[in-house]
């Protein structure tokens, strides 16, 4: 060995020892802090062992490899005891320590210590083999169930997609089977349409299009519609309700409603959209022009009766719902919140004339329409999601949210609190409430009903309404009466809170479908890429206020799980009524939240800075701050999966299969994509579509992939990479001109999921013969 080689070897050993010393000191100090908080006792002795190894290495002693090897062997036993065979749970516990253990096998280190290779090599290889084996098992796991069998075509089924959820009840089921489990692997991109609406961090292309009349009607942004040819994606017409300099330009729009009039002439077929400027617009589906006979030149003003204060906080984003010739409209009210926010009133307009037929206002039960100068009851719960309807019963089903501000209720009125997080069944002919069902008692966590409730006849022919929630609870009601079909029980929940607040003693839980939100978080569930950031997450967990579901938010950091995103969000569920199956995708991410008391006279301010969202909650003593529950290197503090897809049997309510949705390819430390296609379960927003071909299609996840699963067993049969996250619901239709079945998804990205943005609509079909 040359002199230069010896010098380099000494430098390398010194650097290795310094690295071990830094890691050991961090583990020892952090482990002591964690132990003081009542947490795991593993990290302190592990850190001390690494420090001893570093010291011995500097002294060129024989024992460093033995000490580190013993620590690694102990880590292997501890990991199996604490985490079992879950590969994502084992990764931070074993991956880094095992790789460091292999460094002891470097020739320079072995010469310096004279230690046998097996002292660190054996436990390192065993740890990596165990980790690799569990990863392979996860990636290749199959349910063992047979694939989806063919089913007879539904009577009267066609290839159109007339409503946001396919039918008024929101099944999201395309009965056609041209694309099926046997040939879906041949799907190819048929066409792509790129909107000229510029993408951006706060612009989400979330719309599900309407497929009627040989055209695809797509909402590109708030107030902007385009009609595309179903076979080519070529734009036929463009409608714009807002001027280009409107402050609401670029705001999201989740879709449109379609209505076919019994009258011939202008606007015999029409589309309805809402705009963030408080408008309900009627558009001629044939020409793209405004329906001049509807309201005032094709636009009804949704700000009438809403008052003047904070009017900009009323932002309709979801499509209207048309039931029996009545266009039913709600609106989103800003979560940033004031105790004097606009009303959450629900209104029904005549689909032909645009005349206001009724207004359901929680604060004015049974009231007539407003008189000049009157306003709807302020600060009542809004309904921002997609509604569903039953035309035979003449009902529209509305999911309500919170009365703003969301996270402090000290000044919330009794009626506002009573109607928070309800399913309200409204008679579309009169606007009167027929029944209601409450999903949360006294909501302090923003568990508004975002998902479209779904009308389905269960296998026993009972007319049901399935109510998916952010909580991950899925309630099943008789849609005629609102009475639970699956019994609902009230369970005690944690108590506490801040001065001026109160909490409900119990919360409702269904006894039917299992929850999709995952089990209660434990310290053992805390995650990270390495033992260091996992330890930091464990310390955060121990120091936070967390007692399980419905932990009251205090002035101390509080873990809220499920968080504001769900559970189940606006993508809702899809149902295969012929096979009796329901597809559910869910988000499993926690938030750290806290209330911050304002000083007397301090002005309420809100905004987004450094990853922290501040809700001013004007008129209350507290601002609300929401922090992402992340490790120091910006990975989630809870272990995967962060997103799942599940299928349930409608008759038995039992889980048929469940798997993580999405890979790690679009995720990674420091907010960077890893490009590692390991099945992890990624954050997701959007929903699914099920088909007569035995398939369910879904994008939604952070890895920017549209997938087709065999609905019977969860086997992934096909996938396609998207230009951005498909935070939307896919649809499927059959072109009346060519007879081809298409699957279409909007890919634009989502403001809360890291990744690129786009303004693309992607259509897939089987190759033409």
């Amino acid at each position: 060995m040359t002199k230069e080689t010896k010098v380099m070897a000494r430098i390398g050993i010194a650097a290795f020892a310094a690295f071990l010393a830094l890691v050991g000191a961090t583990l020892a100090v952090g482990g002591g802090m964690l132990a003081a908080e009542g947490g795991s006792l593993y990290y302190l002795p592990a850190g001390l062992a690494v420090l001893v190894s570093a010291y011995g290495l500097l002294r060129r002693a024989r024992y460093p490899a033995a000490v580190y090897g013993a620590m690694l062997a102990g880590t292997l036993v501890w990991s199996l005891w604490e985490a079992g065979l879950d590969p994502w749970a084992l990764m931070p516990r074993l991956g880094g320590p095992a790789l460091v253990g292999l460094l002891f096998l470097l020739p320079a280190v072995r010469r310096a210590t004279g230690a046998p290779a097996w002292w660190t090599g054996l436990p390192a290889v065993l740890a990596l083999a165990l980790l690799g084996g569990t990863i392979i098992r996860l990636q290749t796991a199959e349910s063992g169930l047979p694939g989806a069998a063919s089913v007879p075509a539904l009577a009267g089924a066609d290839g159109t997609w007339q409503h946001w959820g396919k039918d008024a009840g929101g099944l999201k089921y395309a009965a056609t089977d041209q694309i099926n489990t046997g040939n879906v692997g041949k799907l190819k991109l048929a066409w792509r349409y790129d909107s000229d609406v510029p993408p951006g961090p706060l612009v989400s292309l979330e719309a599900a299009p309407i497929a009627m009349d040989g055209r695809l009607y797509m909402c590109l942004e708030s107030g902007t519609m385009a009609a595309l040819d179903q076979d080519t994606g070529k734009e036929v017409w463009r409608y714009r309700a807002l001027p280009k300099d409107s402050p609401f330009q670029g705001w999201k729009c989740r879709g449109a409603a379609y209505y076919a009039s019994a009258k011939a002439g202008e606007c015999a077929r029409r589309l309805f959209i809402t705009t963030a400027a408080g408008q309900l617009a009627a558009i001629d589906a044939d020409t793209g022009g405004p329906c001049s006979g509807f309201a005032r030149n094709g636009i009804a003003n949704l700000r009438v009766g809403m008052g003047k204060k904070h009017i900009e906080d009323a932002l309709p984003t979801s499509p209207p719902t048309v039931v029996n010739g009545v266009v039913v409209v709600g609106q989103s009210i800003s979560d940033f919140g004031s105790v004097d926010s606009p009303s959450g009133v629900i209104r029904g307009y005549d689909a032909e004339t645009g005349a206001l037929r009724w207004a359901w206002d929680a604060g004015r039960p049974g009231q007539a329409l407003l008189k000049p100068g009157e306003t709807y009851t302020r600060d009542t719960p809004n309904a921002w999601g997609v509604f569903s309807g039953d035309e035979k019963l003449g009902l529209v089903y509305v999911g309500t949210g919170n009365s703003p501000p969301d996270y402090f209720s000290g000044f919330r009125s009794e009626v506002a609190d009573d109607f928070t997080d309800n399913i309200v069944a409204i008679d579309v002919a009169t606007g009167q409430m027929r029944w209601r069902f409450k999903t949360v008692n006294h909501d302090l966590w923003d568990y508004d009903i975002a998902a479209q409730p779904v009308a389905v006849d269960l296998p026993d022919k009972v007319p049901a309404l399935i109510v998916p929630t952010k909580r991950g609870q899925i309630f099943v009601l008789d849609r005629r009466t609102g009475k639970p079909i699956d019994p609902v029980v009230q369970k005690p929940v944690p108590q506490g809170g801040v001065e001026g607040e109160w909490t409900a003693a119990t919360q409702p839980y269904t006894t039917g479908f299992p929850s999709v939100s995952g089990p209660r978080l434990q310290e053992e569930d805390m995650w990270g890429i390495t033992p260091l950031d996992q330890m930091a997450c464990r310390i955060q967990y121990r120091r936070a206020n967390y007692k399980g579901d419905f932990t009251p938010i205090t002035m101390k950091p509080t873990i809220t799980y499920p968080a504001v995103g769900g559970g189940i969000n606006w993508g809702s569920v899809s149902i295969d009524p012929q096979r009796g199956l329901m597809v559910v995708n869910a988000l499993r991410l926690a938030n750290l939240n806290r209330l911050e008391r304002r000083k007397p006279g301090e002005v309420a301010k809100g905004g987004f800075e450094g990853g922290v969202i501040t809700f001013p909650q004007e008129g209350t003593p507290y601002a609300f701050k929401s922090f992402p529950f992340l490790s120091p290197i910006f990975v989630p503090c809870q272990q995967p999966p962060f997103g799942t897809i599940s299928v349930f049997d409608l008759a038995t309510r039992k889980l048929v299969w469940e798997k993580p949705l999405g890979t790690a390819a679009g995720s990674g430390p420091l907010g960077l994509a890893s490009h590692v296609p390991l099945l992890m379960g990624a954050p997701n927003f959007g929903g699914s579509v099920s088909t007569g071909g035995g398939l369910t299609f879904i994008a939604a996840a952070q890895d920017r992939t549209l997938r087709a699963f065999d609905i019977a067993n969860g086997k992934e049969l096909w996938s396609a990479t998207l230009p951005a996250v498909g935070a939307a619901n896919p649809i499927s239709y059959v072109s009346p001109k060519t007879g081809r079945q298409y699957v279409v998804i909007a890919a634009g990205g989502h403001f809360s999921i890291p990744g690129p943005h786009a303004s693309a609509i992607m259509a897939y079909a089987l190759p033409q013969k």
Side-chain angles (χ1 to χ4, degrees):
M1 181 182 293
T2 65
K3 182 178 181 180
E4 291 79 7
T5 303
K6 291 181 180 179
V7 170
M8 292 301 296
R10 291 192 190 99
I11 293 174
I13 291 171
F16 184 29
F19 169 75
L20 288 176
L22 179 62
V23 171
T26 304
L27 284 172
V29 173
M33 295 167 62
L34 180 60
E37 297 287 347
S40 172
L41 300 178
Y42 160 79
Y43 294 90
L44 176 57
L48 293 175
V50 176
L51 279 172
V52 170
S53 298
Y55 177 73
L57 191 58
L58 282 175
R59 298 196 62 186
R60 295 175 176 265
R62 184 179 175 86
Y63 64 81
V67 172
Y68 192 91
M71 184 278 297
L72 193 52
T75 298
L76 181 58
V77 173
W78 168 75
S79 299
L80 286 170
W81 169 75
E82 190 178 62
L85 295 175
D86 185 318
W88 291 105
L90 291 174
M91 187 173 292
R93 292 169 169 85
L94 295 178
L99 292 174
V100 172
L102 294 179
L103 295 179
F104 280 90
L105 304 183
L106 293 173
V109 178
R110 290 189 59 200
R111 282 194 298 268
T113 62
W118 67 267
W119 282 7
T120 57
L122 180 60
V125 169
L126 286 175
L128 292 175
L130 174 66
L131 183 57
T134 57
I135 290 174
I136 292 171
R137 187 187 67 162
L138 175 66
Q139 305 304 309
T140 59
E142 298 287 349
S143 70
L145 296 174
S150 61
V151 293
L154 280 172
D158 61 27
T160 65
W161 192 279
Q162 184 172 345
H163 299 266
W164 187 85
K166 176 59 165 89
D167 61 289
L171 291 178
K172 303 182 188 69
Y173 178 69
T176 184
D177 63 353
Q178 183 184 128
I179 302 171
N180 53 57
T181 56
N183 61 22
V184 67
K186 300 177 181 178
L187 274 188
K188 301 292 183 184
L189 181 66
W191 54 261
R192 170 175 172 169
Y193 171 87
D194 286 284
S195 164
D196 58 1
V197 175
L202 295 179
V203 180
S204 300
L205 188 64
E206 298 179 0
I210 301 292
M212 295 290 291
D213 316 322
R215 293 175 179 174
L216 204 65
Y217 300 113
M218 183 72 187
C219 195
L220 304 178
E221 63 177 336
S222 184
T224 302
M225 284 289 298
L228 311 179
D229 183 279
Q230 289 187 3
D231 291 293
T232 66
K234 183 179 179 181
E235 186 173 305
V236 179
W237 56 250
R238 174 78 65 96
Y239 169 89
R240 191 186 298 274
L242 300 175
K244 290 187 176 181
D245 60 351
S246 169
F248 300 104
Q249 200 70 31
W251 194 252
K252 70 185 69 174
C253 171
R254 292 194 180 89
Y258 181 90
Y259 172 73
S261 173
K263 303 175 183 178
E266 181 201 40
C267 289
R269 295 187 291 256
R270 59 185 66 183
L271 300 159
F272 297 103
I273 60 170
T274 58
T275 80
Q279 299 168 312
L280 170 64
I283 308 161
D284 190 320
D286 293 326
T287 67
C291 294
S292 60
F294 181 87
R296 186 172 182 178
N297 297 321
I299 292 180
N301 184 358
L302 298 178
R303 290 187 169 176
V304 173
M306 297 291 285
K308 295 182 179 180
K309 193 172 183 181
H310 296 297
I311 193 64
E312 69 283 353
D313 287 350
L315 299 163
T317 55
S318 292
T321 300
V322 182
V323 181
N324 293 345
V326 179
V327 187
V328 185
V329 186
Q331 63 270 315
S332 170
I333 306 296
S334 173
D335 285 337
F336 270 46
S338 162
V339 295
D340 190 19
S341 292
S343 176
V345 61
I346 311 300
R347 284 167 284 191
Y349 293 83
D350 189 291
E352 299 282 354
T353 67
L356 180 61
R357 291 177 53 171
W358 51 261
W360 181 79
D361 179 349
R364 295 162 56 95
Q367 91 287 7
L369 295 177
L370 293 178
K371 297 175 182 177
E374 290 184 328
T375 59
Y376 300 112
T377 308
R378 293 187 67 79
D379 206 37
T380 47
N382 67 96
W384 64 267
V386 181
F387 309 156
S388 57
D390 185 318
E391 295 191 331
K392 291 182 179 179
L393 294 175
L395 295 177
V396 63
Y397 302 104
V398 174
T400 68
N402 285 33
S403 166
D406 291 351
Y407 303 98
F408 180 77
S409 72
F411 306 127
R412 189 180 295 171
S413 70
E414 183 177 346
V415 70
D417 193 62
D418 199 27
F419 278 96
T420 286
D421 300 345
N422 279 235
I423 290 291
V424 182
I426 300 174
D427 188 313
V428 294
T430 65
Q432 297 300 304
M433 183 181 73
R434 291 260 199 97
W435 58 260
R436 66 186 178 99
F437 173 81
K438 195 169 182 63
T439 65
V440 178
N441 299 326
H442 193 58
D443 184 7
L444 303 173
W445 304 269
D446 196 13
Y447 285 153
D448 46 5
I449 300 177
Q452 181 184 27
V454 182
V456 61
D457 292 340
L458 295 176
D460 56 6
K461 306 304 180 184
V462 174
L465 189 73
I466 292 179
V467 183
T469 68
K470 286 184 179 181
R471 296 174 50 202
Q473 293 284 303
I474 304 171
F475 298 97
V476 183
L477 312 176
D478 187 318
R479 68 176 182 267
R480 298 166 297 186
T481 64
K483 294 182 178 179
I485 294 173
D486 297 339
V488 174
V489 296
Q490 295 286 334
K491 296 182 180 180
V493 292
Q495 299 297 292
V498 294
E499 183 182 353
E501 186 61 274
W502 64 277
T503 51
T506 63
Q507 294 290 349
Y509 288 80
T510 181
T511 57
F513 289 111
S515 171
V516 294
S517 64
R520 173 176 171 167
L521 297 180
Q522 306 288 337
E523 183 197 323
E524 292 80 5
D525 300 322
M526 297 303 101
W527 200 59
I529 299 297
T530 71
L532 301 180
D533 58 320
Q534 183 184 49
M535 179 182 66
C537 285
R538 285 180 181 249
I539 294 171
Q540 282 193 76
Y541 173 87
R542 282 291 177 179
R543 290 178 173 177
N545 173 36
Y546 179 66
K547 303 172 184 176
D549 288 0
F550 297 103
T551 299
I553 300 171
T554 66
M555 295 175 68
K556 175 182 179 181
T558 302
I559 295 175
T560 300
Y561 181 71
V564 62
I568 307 167
N569 211 292
W570 55 265
S572 194
V573 304
S574 67
I575 289 177
D576 183 334
Q578 293 181 276
R579 296 178 176 85
L581 299 174
M582 178 175 69
V583 183
V584 184
N585 61 291
L587 180 65
R588 294 184 178 180
L589 279 177
N591 271 60
L592 273 177
N593 301 317
R594 67 180 173 87
L595 292 166
E596 187 176 86
R597 195 173 187 100
R598 275 190 291 269
K599 298 175 183 177
E602 184 179 354
V603 177
K605 295 180 180 179
F608 182 83
E609 184 177 353
V612 179
I613 302 177
T614 301
F615 294 67
Q617 302 201 127
E618 181 183 320
T620 78
Y622 300 93
F624 169 79
K625 291 184 179 289
S626 182
F627 306 76
F629 190 25
L630 300 176
S631 81
I633 58 172
F634 306 109
V635 298
C637 265
Q638 62 189 96
Q639 71 188 37
F642 310 127
T644 60
I645 181 169
S646 312
V647 167
F648 295 92
D649 186 304
L650 285 175
T652 65
R653 315 293 198 265
K654 291 183 179 179
L655 181 68
V656 178
W657 58 264
E658 180 177 88
K659 65 193 305 180
L661 175 62
T663 70
S667 311
L670 304 176
L672 302 174
S674 70
H675 303 290
V676 177
L678 293 179
L679 186 63
M680 177 180 70
N684 65 93
F685 282 101
S688 62
V689 57
S690 298
T691 75
L695 300 165
T696 187
F697 290 90
I698 187 168
Q702 187 175 357
D703 63 356
R704 308 191 299 277
T705 302
L706 175 64
R707 294 179 167 84
F709 295 99
D710 186 322
I711 196 172
N713 57 29
K715 184 176 182 179
E716 185 176 320
L717 302 177
W718 172 86
S719 66
T721 300
L722 301 174
V725 172
N729 284 12
I731 74 161
S732 185
Y733 62 88
V734 175
S735 165
K737 182 169 32 177
T738 64
R740 294 180 82 188
Q741 181 184 357
Y742 293 87
V743 176
V744 174
I745 181 71
H750 193 274
F751 71 91
S752 66
I753 300 179
H757 298 273
S759 296
I761 301 166
M762 317 288 284
Y764 299 87
L766 295 172
Q768 290 180 302
K769 297 180 180 179

